[in-house]
């Protein structure tokens, strides 16, 4: 069935508590935890508990959970006090865009100047 846990998925293992993570927030549908290789003072990943390979497939199948990801990203930005200075939500989609973990996730980045266009 769509959205089911994948045995070989790192982020499904984090959802299940089988791989440790520094969790900031958890809801019925999402988990937010610090990226292990931070690219900014605030670098948090917000993931759905269900497994979809990327943000677009999540939004197509479970639009309410895709909206939860955006709401939780804003909660993380508030928790990290990056709302006033600005923050960025990134969904790398496809290996050509730098996606390495194929379980949908938002990167929430902040706490430093963020250049545009991105690299
Ligand atoms: P992406 O490259 O967009 O697929 O993002 C995957 C992110 O997951 C990268 O920024 C990694 O640093 C991060 N990451 C990989 N393994 C872990 C882990 N065990 N805990 C937290 N973040 C991780
Ligand atoms: Zn997964």
């Amino acid at each position: 069935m769509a959205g089911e846990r994948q045995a070989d998925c790192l982020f499904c293992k984090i959802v299940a508590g089988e791989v440790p993570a520094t969790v900031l927030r958890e809801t019925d549908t999402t988990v937010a935890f610090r990226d292990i290789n931070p690219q900014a003072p605030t670098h948090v990943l917000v993931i759905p508990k269900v497994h979809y390979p990327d943000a677009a497939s999540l939004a197509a199948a479970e639009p309410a959970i895709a909206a939860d990801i955006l709401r939780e990203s804003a909660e993380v930005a508030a928790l990290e006090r990056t709302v006033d200075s600005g923050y960025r939500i990134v969904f790398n989609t496809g290996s050509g865009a730098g996606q390495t973990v194929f379980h949908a996730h938002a990167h929430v980045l902040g706490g430093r100047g963020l250049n545009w266009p991105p690299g």
Side-chain angles (χ1 to χ4, degrees), residues 42-61:
T42 289
H43 189 173
V44 175
L45 302 175
V46 182
I47 70 171
K49 290 184 172 176
V50 288
H51 178 98
Y52 288 90
D54 55 38
S57 58
L58 171 69

Side-chain angles (χ1 to χ4, degrees), residues 30-32 35 39-40 42-48 54-56 58 65-78 80 82-83 85-93 97 104-116 118-119:
T30 65
V31 183
D35 196 292
Q39 303 301 310
T42 289
H43 189 173
V44 175
L45 302 175
V46 182
I47 70 171
D54 55 38
L58 171 69
I65 298 179
D68 291 344
I69 296 289
L70 294 178
R71 269 194 297 274
E72 275 300 300
S73 295
E75 292 290 346
V76 165
E80 295 280 291
T82 62
V83 173
S85 54
Y87 62 95
R88 188 171 290 166
I89 302 172
V90 174
F91 294 96
N92 293 327
T93 303
H105 54 280
H107 296 257
V108 181
L109 298 154
R112 65 165 170 81
L114 295 167
N115 294 333
W116 194 264

Side-chain angles (χ1 to χ4, degrees), residues 8 16 20 26 29 37-39 52-53 55 62-63 79 82 93 101:
D8 59 349
E26 182 172 358
T29 57
N37 182 24
Q39 303 301 310
Y52 288 90
E62 304 263 17
L79 199 62
T82 62
T93 303
V101 178

Side-chain angles (χ1 to χ4, degrees), residues 9 11-12 51 103:
C9 174
F11 287 178
C12 284
H51 178 98
H103 177 129

